[in-house]
Amino acid sequence: MSLDTVLGSIFTVAFIATIIRISTPLILPALGGLISELAGVINIALEGLMLVAAFLGVVVGAYSAQWFPGWPGWVYPWLGALAGILVSLVLAWLLAFVHLELGADIILAALAINILAQGGTVFVMFALTGDKGSTSTLASPALPNIVIPFVNRIPVLGVLFNAENMTGYNIMTYAALVLTVLVWFVLYRMPFGAHLRAVGENPEAAASVGINVRRVQYTAILLSGLLAALGGLNLSMGYLTIFQANMTAGRGFIALAAVYLGNRNPIGTVIAAVIFGAATALGAQMGTLNVPPQYIEMIPPFVTIAALVIYNLRRQAQLAANARKFQDKLEQEHGAG
Amino acid sequence: MTLSQKQKQYLMEFFRILAVILIALALGFLITLLVSEEPVQAFKELLTGPLPKISWTEAGLKIRGINRFGNWLEDSITLILVGLAVAVVFRAKQFSLGAEGQIYLGALAAGIISLHTSAPAFIHITLALLAAAGAGFVWGLIPGILKAYVNADEIVSTLMLNVIAVQIYRLLLIQWLRNPDYGYIATDFFPETAVLPLVIPGTRVTIALFLTIIAVVATWFLMTRTPLGYEIRVVGDNLKFARYGGINTRRVIALSMAVSGILAGLAGAHLSMGILKQLTLNISFGIGFEGIVVALLARNDPKAVPLAGLFYGYLRTGAQIMERSSDVTREVVLIIQAIIIILITAERVLPLIQQWRMRRKLPQELSADHSEAAHVA
């Protein structure tokens, strides 16, 4: 395939649909990472929490058809989703507990949770299916897609709002959209959000005005577990309808990078997650070119590192500018006095 | 003989870690009970598998399973080198997870020198090892500089650099180094002058064993007897104090990651020049991340790393044997590993237990004191 065809396929609405689909499982955990980061308890375990939720969603979704044979079919995927969310919350609580009550380093404890998720999912998958690679033997259900009515007849909007085959986006894509607004609202328009940010800025000061620091941090970690779980469920019950060993493939960490690149606010974080999604989608498109795939695989990590550097350089420049302003102000006052 | 305060502390720490290991193994066994039909057999394989079976027969002393014993030592060599690498950065309180990428590039550099130069064995091996160390150094220096001078989070940057390193490795292997006549993607076997000489026949335990011992001593010396080691420890203990004390903290942070890279690069050389004797598509299978548990078990102390590495290597080898001979997968070791990490880092567990015991004891003691006091009165 020539470069022209690739370029042609990039500047299409279908490509935007691809970016939206790839970005969803980045946006959700990124919002979770943002909440925990702002509360001063950075959650490195997003990756593992996504993985266990993805796994349990598939397994419980598949088995609930055997456990509750009489129930309507649409219930099963939701039972799976519920199980996935619950197990992610349990592990997030464990992380919060060992960090806040037992004094464990939150980074090391989170790395342990990731290892537990990676080993535990394969361990249980083998015990259940005899397969260490994927749950291909289980008939696992998908969470529904949402189709926007009427727009399908309009050429461009049809693809934009309902993806290439007019089958709609997964419900988690819409959840990501709603949650972005909700997270922004909670963080900047509700007392809890103010408390949370205060705790992250300066826990002693927050405690001195009567904020229960520990409870806020527990809540923040649990919320990040919830959001990571939704991202994991999107991977195994929407994007694909199967669980594969280690299928998160670093998304939890890219989500963390999105938090930094997005300047630690919800809108920026989501934009950053979409940029990472676009880089991945671009890589997939370029796969059709006669370029060794290794070059393409390097694009997302390279973009991530570049983003990390840009964020920090900007931050340093900001700090320097603030310091200069302060200095000027001092001199002015001095001169006037 | 009375123990000094320091020795007592070491002993306490040793027993604490021993307790952690026992608890983690017990929990691992409980989990195995849930899924296995032969949990006892499986755990017996896990815990005794790597040992050679020595038996007396009429023909004399007979040793079976020497290759399993060899697997244990080979794996432990990698784990000790990676454990040292992690211990150095963790001691500086830098959470670099870049060992995996450094292993790949170390193996790659060693492979290029092995295949594309020729020299007498001693020089050839030395050059290849230096190349591996250099590759690891550079791949550690990059995230080190990014952290020290731009404050880029080292967890994210090292994980991304791992992906890039693996892709560089594959790119060069597939486009340039591979022998297209093979049915699988791999280079030619290294010439004899570039293969590490064997030490224990019947295994793949090479002079990497001695190199690892040297690496342990060198790392211990670096950390306890040199200015850089002192600075790394101060930076790790208290960054602000180090800065006010006039230490160039940026240089120390960058160098701690680079030095760590040297050790991980050498682990890559061990894998390519000692174990595989060629470059294949996969060489490390994630062993770069196993250094974390080794470093934690050793409390980031270089001289304790060999013991921790041997222990964890034993568990990994046992798990492989268990997987072959029972219905339990080796991933149970990852679960045990996670439990170990959580228990070791949960620093307040022991004080909490002591507090709890005190609280239970206190009323009785108080009443005892009371009666004594009453007696005196």
Side-chain angles (χ1 to χ4, degrees):
Chain A
M1 205 186 270
S2 74
L3 192 63
D4 282 356
T5 9
V6 170
L7 284 177
S9 67
I10 287 173
F11 295 108
T12 60
V13 195
F15 189 64
I16 296 177
T18 310
I19 292 177
I20 292 174
R21 229 175 308 116
I22 292 181
S23 303
T24 304
L26 293 174
I27 293 172
L28 288 163
L31 288 172
L34 174 72
I35 292 175
S36 64
E37 163 73 16
L38 286 180
V41 275
I42 181 76
N43 187 352
I44 310 280
L46 294 173
E47 175 86 359
L49 298 177
M50 286 177 82
L51 201 59
V52 287
F55 176 65
L56 231 74
V58 162
V59 168
V60 172
Y63 277 93
S64 56
Q66 296 172 23
W67 296 334
F68 314 109
W71 294 20
W74 62 267
V75 177
Y76 302 136
W78 290 107
L79 287 177
L82 195 67
I85 290 170
L86 280 179
V87 72
S88 173
L89 285 178
V90 167
L91 284 186
W93 174 84
L94 179 70
L95 175 66
F97 178 78
V98 296
H99 172 58
L100 297 172
E101 313 284 350
L102 301 183
D105 184 289
I106 192 162
I107 292 175
L108 290 173
L111 288 175
I113 302 262
N114 287 336
I115 293 165
L116 187 67
Q118 202 191 338
T121 49
V122 173
F123 181 78
V124 177
M125 178 160 65
F126 182 78
L128 288 177
T129 67
D131 189 344
K132 283 174 73 170
S134 75
T135 57
S136 53
T137 53
L138 296 179
S140 60
L143 291 168
N145 281 8
I146 291 181
V147 182
I148 307 275
F150 309 125
V151 294
N152 280 358
R153 297 199 202 125
I154 311 164
V156 176
L157 291 186
V159 178
L160 188 63
F161 284 119
N162 284 333
E164 296 93 319
N165 307 319
M166 311 287 176
T167 47
Y169 295 105
N170 190 257
I171 192 164
M172 285 302 170
T173 299
Y174 288 96
L177 205 66
V178 172
L179 284 166
T180 304
V181 179
L182 198 66
V183 166
W184 175 84
F185 186 80
V186 169
L187 283 177
Y188 296 100
R189 289 290 179 273
M190 279 175 63
F192 174 73
H195 290 181
L196 186 139
R197 286 180 294 126
V199 165
E201 285 293 329
N202 192 335
E204 285 90 8
S208 73
V209 294
I211 296 173
N212 188 336
V213 173
R214 190 170 286 195
R215 193 199 285 161
V216 167
Q217 291 186 329
Y218 260 112
T219 315
I221 294 177
L222 285 175
L223 283 176
S224 73
L226 172 70
L227 285 156
L230 297 181
L233 290 169
N234 177 244
L235 274 181
S236 69
M237 303 182 78
Y239 195 77
L240 301 174
T241 49
I242 188 174
F243 178 83
Q244 295 164 336
N246 205 15
M247 78 184 302
T248 43
R251 283 183 179 83
F253 294 103
I254 292 180
L256 277 182
V259 174
Y260 293 119
L261 177 65
N263 220 359
R264 297 167 83 225
N265 73 59
I267 311 300
T269 300
V270 170
I271 292 173
V274 173
I275 291 175
F276 288 131
T280 312
L282 189 71
Q285 283 293 330
M286 280 172 57
T288 53
L289 282 175
N290 207 1
V291 179
Q294 287 81 25
Y295 284 118
I296 291 149
E297 299 276 336
M298 284 184 211
I299 294 175
F302 204 79
V303 171
T304 310
I305 293 175
L308 211 58
V309 172
I310 291 168
Y311 162 72
N312 283 294
L313 285 179
R314 256 182 48 202
R315 203 174 142 89
Q316 278 179 0
Q318 238 169 32
L319 287 177
N322 285 351
R324 219 173 308 124
K325 249 187 241 161
F326 185 66
Q327 198 90 37
D328 288 350
K329 208 173 154 192
L330 273 185
E331 272 168 25
Q332 258 175 19
E333 278 170 12
H334 229 61
Chain B
M1 193 189 84
T2 54
L3 296 167
S4 73
Q5 197 63 33
K6 205 173 170 192
Q7 281 169 320
K8 257 188 205 157
Q9 242 173 15
Y10 267 124
L11 214 60
M12 272 289 288
E13 201 56 42
F14 180 77
F15 282 117
R16 192 171 95 88
I17 285 174
L18 208 62
V20 163
I21 289 171
L22 289 177
I23 293 170
L25 285 174
L27 287 174
F29 181 67
L30 278 180
I31 293 167
T32 309
L33 274 182
L34 296 178
V35 302
S36 174
E37 285 172 10
E38 35 176 7
V40 176
Q41 179 60 24
F43 246 63
K44 200 184 139 224
E45 290 292 342
L46 175 70
L47 296 179
T48 63
L51 293 176
K53 313 268 179 292
I54 300 170
S55 54
W56 282 101
T57 60
E58 279 150 30
L61 186 71
K62 205 176 159 198
I63 301 176
R64 283 183 304 121
I66 188 75
N67 56 330
R68 292 176 169 190
F69 180 71
N71 285 343
W72 171 29
L73 280 188
E74 294 153 27
D75 204 35
S76 299
I77 287 171
T78 324
L79 287 168
I80 291 169
L81 288 170
V82 182
L84 286 174
V86 175
V88 170
V89 276
F90 274 20
R91 193 65 189 81
K93 275 250 168 60
Q94 304 300 310
F95 291 104
S96 163
L97 304 176
E100 183 78 359
Q102 291 149 4
I103 287 174
Y104 268 91
L105 292 187
L108 179 67
I112 292 173
I113 298 290
S114 301
L115 292 164
H116 287 271
T117 64
S118 54
F122 178 74
I123 298 170
H124 207 179
I125 287 173
T126 310
L127 279 178
L129 288 174
L130 282 176
F137 180 86
V138 170
W139 214 246
L141 192 63
I142 295 171
I145 286 176
L146 289 180
K147 174 70 189 288
Y149 292 90
V150 196
N151 199 25
D153 183 78
E154 74 275 21
I155 298 177
V156 176
S157 74
T158 50
L159 284 168
M160 296 299 129
L161 283 167
N162 285 346
V163 180
I164 296 176
V166 172
Q167 296 306 329
I168 292 175
Y169 175 90
R170 292 200 173 151
L171 191 69
L172 292 186
L173 175 61
I174 293 169
Q175 303 293 326
W176 173 38
L177 292 164
R178 77 177 285 199
N179 180 341
D181 298 338
Y182 287 156
Y184 56 105
I185 294 170
T187 65
D188 283 323
F189 283 94
F190 294 171
E192 216 157 286
T193 50
V195 171
L196 297 176
L198 207 61
V199 172
I200 304 178
T203 70
R204 292 177 298 181
V205 178
T206 62
I207 58 161
L209 183 67
F210 305 125
L211 293 173
T212 304
I213 296 171
I214 294 171
V216 170
V217 175
T219 310
W220 169 82
F221 186 83
L222 170 83
M223 294 303 284
T224 59
R225 296 285 184 276
T226 67
L228 179 63
Y230 169 76
E231 288 173 352
I232 286 177
R233 285 183 288 134
V234 177
V235 165
D237 286 338
N238 191 334
L239 186 64
K240 278 185 186 153
F241 177 79
R243 205 174 285 146
Y244 295 139
I247 291 175
N248 184 346
T249 52
R250 292 183 161 177
R251 180 179 150 271
V252 172
I253 288 172
L255 277 181
S256 70
M257 291 204 217
V259 168
S260 160
I262 294 178
L263 293 158
L266 287 175
H270 159 63
L271 289 174
S272 64
M273 298 164 66
I275 305 289
L276 297 166
K277 303 172 186 73
Q278 63 179 156
L279 300 181
T280 54
L281 203 55
N282 282 314
I283 51 165
S284 105
F285 300 97
I287 203 169
F289 296 103
E290 311 283 27
I292 297 168
V293 72
V294 175
L296 282 179
L297 281 170
R299 293 311 238 157
N300 301 333
D301 179 356
K303 60 181 188 303
V305 165
L307 194 62
L310 281 169
F311 161 74
Y312 196 65
Y314 187 90
L315 215 57
R316 270 168 56 99
T317 311
Q320 276 175 24
I321 295 163
M322 175 185 72
E323 183 174 78
R324 281 202 299 269
S325 54
S326 80
D327 60 351
V328 182
T329 59
R330 70 179 112 167
E331 273 74 15
V332 75
V333 169
L334 288 180
I335 299 173
I336 293 172
Q337 180 189 359
I339 297 170
I340 289 177
I341 294 178
I342 289 179
L343 289 179
I344 286 186
T345 55
E347 284 170 351
R348 268 182 238 141
V349 171
L350 205 63
L352 271 185
I353 293 172
Q354 277 167 349
Q355 231 175 46
W356 177 73
R357 276 180 53 190
M358 284 284 277
R359 221 177 290 152
R360 279 190 35 165
K361 248 178 162 176
L362 220 54
Q364 295 165 11
E365 271 174 20
L366 272 182
S367 59
D369 282 355
H370 210 71
S371 60
E372 221 169 88
H375 198 75
V376 171

